[in-house]
Amino acid sequence: MEAGLREIDEELGIELAASDLQYQGCFQEEIHTGTMTDREFCHVYFYPLERLPDFQVTEEVSDIMRLSLESFEEILQGESKKGRYLLSDLEKTISLDDFCPHSQGYFSFIIKTTRNLFAF
């Protein structure tokens, strides 16, 4: 937990405490890229926002995008959607290639968890 909070602070400039986060569960995944196999336990936490924070990003973060849950689901189905990046304020067509590599199961877990938590 401490390492994750430190990464959020270092990469996004947002200082959080463990009590600020809502634990949603763990998703185990295995991703194969070329000759590498990445096995991860993804512990998922949500941080409810009332307003967007003033992000202070490092070079590890190229930009941040904001999407509706419905647009996210459509992108996962192979569609492309127009979206606006928060840091650069650029509008861009967003596809699955713009996301960090995860399995379809992981993304489904995030969608289901979001729907359950926020009663969509």
Side-chain angles (χ1 to χ4, degrees):
M1 169 68 85
E2 288 179 29
L5 292 171
R6 185 175 55 255
E7 287 291 311
I8 291 169
D9 185 25
E10 289 173 4
E11 294 180 15
L12 299 176
I14 303 170
E15 193 172 320
L16 300 174
S19 59
D20 295 330
L21 304 176
Q22 298 175 358
Y23 185 69
Q24 300 303 310
C26 179
F27 184 84
Q28 183 179 353
E29 77 175 341
E30 186 172 298
I31 300 171
H32 302 277
T33 53
T35 60
M36 186 184 87
T37 299
D38 184 15
R39 294 181 181 98
E40 295 189 11
F41 291 92
C42 304
H43 293 273
V44 177
Y45 294 83
F46 282 2
Y47 174 62
L49 293 172
E50 293 180 14
R51 63 176 180 79
L52 288 176
D54 181 23
F55 295 107
Q56 303 295 317
V57 300
T58 65
E59 65 278 350
E60 292 184 52
V61 177
S62 60
D63 216 325
I64 299 169
M65 70 175 80
R66 184 176 185 175
L67 292 169
S68 68
L69 187 61
E70 291 75 22
S71 291
F72 180 55
E73 288 178 299
E74 291 169 3
I75 290 169
L76 294 179
Q77 297 302 317
E79 295 184 34
S80 296
K81 295 299 234 180
K82 289 272 189 195
R84 182 162 301 278
Y85 283 87
L86 298 177
L87 302 179
S88 64
D89 199 36
L90 294 174
E91 186 173 86
K92 179 183 171 191
T93 300
I94 300 167
S95 70
L96 192 55
D97 292 336
D98 294 301
F99 291 90
C100 294
H102 282 285
S103 66
Q104 187 70 30
Y106 172 80
F107 289 127
S108 296
F109 177 79
I110 296 298
I111 289 168
K112 179 181 176 187
T113 301
T114 303
R115 287 198 182 283
N116 289 342
L117 184 64
F118 298 103
F120 278 85

